[in-house]
Amino acid sequence: MTKIVIIGGVAGGASAAARARRVSETAEIIMLERGEFVSFANCGLPYHISGEIESRDALLLQTPESFKSRFNVDVRVLNEVLTIDRQAKQLTIRNLATNETYQESYDKLLLSPGASPIKPPLPGIDSHFVHSLRNIPDMDKILSTLMLHKPKHATVVGGGFIGLEMVEALRHVGLEVSLLELADQVMGPVDLEMANMLHQKLVDNDVDLRLKTGLAAITECPIQLTESDNTDDYDKPASPHFHLQLALSDNTTLATDLVILAIGVKPETSLASACGLELGKLGGIRVDDEMRTSDADIYAVGDAIETADFVTGHPTLIPLAGPANRQGRLAADNMLGANIKYRATQGTAICKLFDMAIASTGLNEKTLLKKAIPFEKIYVHTASHASYYPGAHPITLKLLFSPDNGTILGAQAAGLDGVDKRIDVLAVAQRAGMTVYDLADLELTYAPPFGSARDVVNQAGMVAANVLLGDEQICHTQDFVNLSANQIIVDIRNPGELTTAGAIDGAINMPLPQLRDRLNELPKDKELLVFCQVGLRGHVAYRMLTQHGFKVRNLTGGYKTFQMVNAHF
């Protein structure tokens, strides 16, 4: 009989425990969790704070009792593992409820400790009005602060998934919100021009967005409420209301009542490091493709490990619930004798911000440039479903691919509807080894309320294939910035569009319907950089002009992409 001990619950540990029992009815399975909750929906925490998920109990997926009754797993909450003796294959554990210490042996050990929020050592960072959000107790503390102290203004530090979700949650409950982000953009997995759509959405929802701005120090200032602030109990002493003064990296200050730290997370590796397990260069636990650590009887999964990136094969840290769940399931199989390989992580993810969604899979342009991986990119702007059916909304899709063979390197999409569907399709295509040529041939569902006969994904594949096959030469916004004397810009939009949407300085306006009749006005000794609003008419102009002997390139994504790239916040 194999004795499996799992340290940590939630996505990785809990999925491993359930899978191990399904594989083996005879295995002894113990799950140790130092917190109070063994399996909860941590991705749902911001939505309970906002009130969109009304019941707190809805976030509790499994309890020790339900694990015992369904899977015969011995779940011990409030039990913290202090040390791992690899030679003796024994754990030293403290029961936090009784403060008693005891030992537990194992045959196979699984580490699923997760990651902890980054908390920089700044003055005032330990104030009771500074919170992180990683688990149920964190959520309860935030809700308690909202209820007891009635803050009017909150500051979120960090513009990643949790940061953006908390901005929305706090605006949803009526607070004024400032968002501090040290980088030049929020949502690091996407590129700047895509993130600019999020920046606009934040500004449109009255969020005080401060990019390239970090937190330097926090000062807690007691302020006495006036009688008018406490009218219900005016005969009682006014209770103190604490106000925070934030010193920022740009030498300004910000007054706020509540701070949410969402700077990021770091792998929880203290146990692994203390017992001598190998760590990777990025600071996570090093595992092989079977989730085995440097000790053959110890496995690790989830946010604490370094796993292979799907595109490059290089180690990466990707703290997402989906990969952790799959890794836990796979590790359980392998601890019980299987030899199943984990097939890397794409980092497929999505975030909701007010009525908008943004999603990505694979590598972004920043990473491809950093790793010197050759790539080409195209943009598609089209409707989420047939434009003539009510309720269609624009979707912006960026596709990154190999200029040699069309291998899909990454994709990003943003819009109000249908974003998840398109990125999911592209994530499957990438994992299946499909190329951009294959995207054009995908047979996807179509009816006017749901899509178009030529879906967004099909269009992206067709545009990319045109580029690779030489049917279209494209240019990018940067080419307009670095314009040479041998190039001119031709705007083929209708004159009214220039008034409503804007124009590019120095561009010649020659509307597409007039183009054939005005070819003599264009020089053949210069390269024409043509553009329309989203790129489609530009392609028509490109095909026409090249067949008349002109040297031409079309701006992929058109003027809309130009605006996205050049937006400033």
Side-chain angles (χ1 to χ4, degrees):
M1 181 177 70
T2 302
K3 182 177 182 180
I4 295 174
V5 178
I6 299 169
I7 301 176
V10 198
S15 65
R19 175 63 176 178
R21 177 56 70 218
R22 291 196 297 271
V23 172
S24 172
E25 187 62 26
T26 61
E28 181 182 359
I29 306 170
I30 300 171
M31 184 157 53
L32 305 169
E33 169 58 51
R34 66 184 173 187
E36 183 181 353
F37 305 96
V38 67
S39 181
F40 61 92
N42 49 2
C43 296
L45 301 178
Y47 303 107
H48 181 58
I49 292 172
S50 69
E52 293 167 279
I53 297 176
E54 295 183 7
S55 172
R56 180 178 179 273
D57 291 343
L59 301 174
L60 305 178
L61 305 179
Q62 292 283 353
T63 65
E65 294 75 21
S66 65
F67 254 111
K68 182 65 177 177
S69 63
R70 176 174 291 189
F71 298 111
N72 191 26
V73 172
D74 179 6
V75 177
R76 305 174 191 174
V77 296
L78 298 175
N79 275 249
E80 181 179 14
V81 177
L82 304 178
T83 62
I84 300 171
D85 185 337
R86 291 167 51 197
Q87 284 68 40
K89 301 181 74 170
Q90 186 167 275
L91 310 176
T92 300
I93 305 163
R94 175 179 290 129
N95 185 322
L96 299 178
T98 65
N99 208 33
E100 295 176 330
T101 301
Y102 66 98
Q103 276 72 46
E104 191 71 65
S105 64
Y106 66 85
D107 296 319
K108 301 292 182 181
L109 179 65
L110 176 66
L111 304 180
S112 180
S116 56
I118 294 174
K119 188 176 181 181
L122 301 177
I125 200 73
D126 293 322
S127 167
H128 293 300
F129 296 92
V130 177
H131 299 278
S132 296
L133 181 62
R134 189 67 181 169
N135 52 39
I136 296 285
D138 291 342
M139 179 189 73
D140 290 341
K141 289 176 185 176
I142 293 171
L143 288 170
S144 177
T145 297
L146 293 174
M147 181 180 67
L148 294 176
H149 300 284
K150 304 287 191 293
K152 296 180 179 179
H153 184 280
T155 299
V156 176
V157 184
F161 290 95
I162 294 296
L164 292 178
E165 289 165 358
M166 279 305 301
V167 164
E168 179 182 354
L170 294 167
R171 287 294 295 136
H172 195 82
V173 296
L175 273 67
E176 296 180 22
V177 179
S178 293
L179 174 59
L180 309 180
E181 173 53 61
L182 192 57
D184 61 352
Q185 67 166 86
V186 301
M187 192 54 66
V190 304
D191 292 311
L192 176 59
E193 72 277 20
M194 301 296 291
N196 276 335
M197 299 179 71
L198 294 174
H199 299 156
Q200 188 63 58
K201 182 62 63 174
L202 289 164
V203 171
D204 290 345
N205 282 272
D206 298 320
V207 175
D208 172 27
L209 174 62
R210 305 194 186 194
L211 299 172
K212 300 181 182 178
T213 306
L215 178 64
I218 301 169
T219 303
E220 197 170 289
C221 309
I223 297 177
Q224 198 73 15
L225 291 176
T226 64
E227 246 182 37
S228 61
D229 293 323
N230 205 22
T231 53
D232 291 342
D233 299 297
Y234 62 88
D235 57 330
K236 299 179 182 178
S239 59
H241 173 72
F242 288 92
H243 180 81
L244 301 177
Q245 189 80 4
L246 308 183
L248 308 181
S249 62
D250 61 357
N251 296 318
T252 64
T253 60
L254 175 63
T256 192
D257 299 309
L258 170 68
V259 171
I260 304 295
L261 293 177
I263 300 171
V265 296
K266 58 182 179 181
E268 178 53 72
T269 60
S270 55
L271 273 175
S273 179
C275 74
L277 295 178
E278 290 183 19
L279 303 184
K281 293 181 179 180
L282 302 177
I285 302 171
R286 179 176 291 169
V287 296
D288 63 15
D289 57 6
E290 294 183 8
M291 300 293 110
R292 189 183 290 106
T293 68
S294 54
D295 186 313
D297 292 317
I298 302 179
Y299 295 70
V301 299
D303 298 356
I305 70 167
E306 294 184 9
T307 187
D309 174 77
F310 185 82
V311 175
T312 66
H314 299 160
T316 186
L317 296 170
I318 300 184
L320 294 172
N325 190 292
R326 296 195 304 277
Q327 291 160 7
R329 186 178 190 274
L330 182 149
D333 284 341
N334 291 338
M335 285 189 291
L336 290 166
N339 298 105
I340 302 173
K341 310 293 185 184
Y342 183 69
R343 296 171 55 196
T345 297
Q346 295 165 269
T348 308
I350 189 167
C351 180
K352 172 183 176 293
L353 182 64
F354 300 105
D355 60 349
M356 178 182 173
I358 190 161
S360 64
T361 190
L363 298 184
N364 56 33
E365 183 175 348
K366 299 188 295 284
T367 304
L368 292 169
L369 289 170
K370 183 178 179 180
K371 294 184 177 293
I373 298 173
F375 71 93
E376 184 56 275
K377 61 181 178 180
I378 59 94
Y379 299 85
V380 173
H381 308 282
T382 190
S384 56
H385 61 247
S387 58
Y388 56 83
Y389 186 88
H393 297 288
I395 286 182
T396 290
L397 175 64
K398 178 179 183 178
L399 182 62
L400 298 146
F401 54 96
S402 167
D404 297 324
N405 54 21
T407 296
I408 300 167
L409 301 175
Q412 302 158 37
L416 303 185
D417 180 49
V419 169
D420 54 341
K421 176 166 81 170
R422 274 65 188 213
I423 290 297
D424 283 344
V425 169
L426 287 166
V428 171
Q430 183 184 50
R431 183 163 287 273
M434 301 173 74
T435 69
V436 297
Y437 301 108
D438 299 309
L439 299 181
D441 293 328
L442 291 181
E443 188 171 327
L444 305 174
T445 58
Y446 163 58
F450 303 104
S452 300
R454 182 185 295 175
D455 189 77
V456 182
V457 174
N458 297 133
Q459 290 187 43
M462 291 173 184
V463 173
N466 282 341
V467 172
L468 294 180
L469 293 171
D471 292 336
E472 180 180 25
Q473 299 291 322
I474 59 173
C475 59
H476 300 287
T477 296
Q478 194 59 36
D479 295 309
F480 285 30
V481 176
N482 300 321
L483 198 69
S484 74
N486 294 318
Q487 296 173 316
I488 62 172
I489 303 173
V490 181
D491 184 344
I492 63 165
R493 295 176 299 165
N494 297 322
E497 294 178 78
L498 279 65
T499 303
T500 57
I504 296 176
D505 291 340
I508 299 172
N509 182 224
M510 194 172 291
L512 181 61
Q514 304 174 18
L515 196 56
R516 281 190 182 88
D517 297 329
R518 298 176 60 183
L519 293 177
N520 62 319
E521 299 178 33
L522 296 172
K524 287 193 174 181
D525 61 342
K526 294 188 177 183
E527 183 181 45
L528 310 180
L529 303 184
V530 303
F531 74 94
C532 62
Q533 187 63 24
V534 297
L536 180 58
R537 285 173 291 172
H539 175 68
V540 175
Y542 172 89
R543 296 300 304 165
M544 180 195 305
L545 290 166
T546 53
Q547 292 179 67
H548 284 278
F550 292 91
K551 183 179 180 181
V552 191
R553 283 192 289 160
N554 178 33
L555 176 62
T556 179
Y559 185 68
K560 184 170 183 178
T561 299
F562 181 88
Q563 288 180 302
M564 289 165 54
V565 173
N566 289 291
H568 297 287
F569 295 87

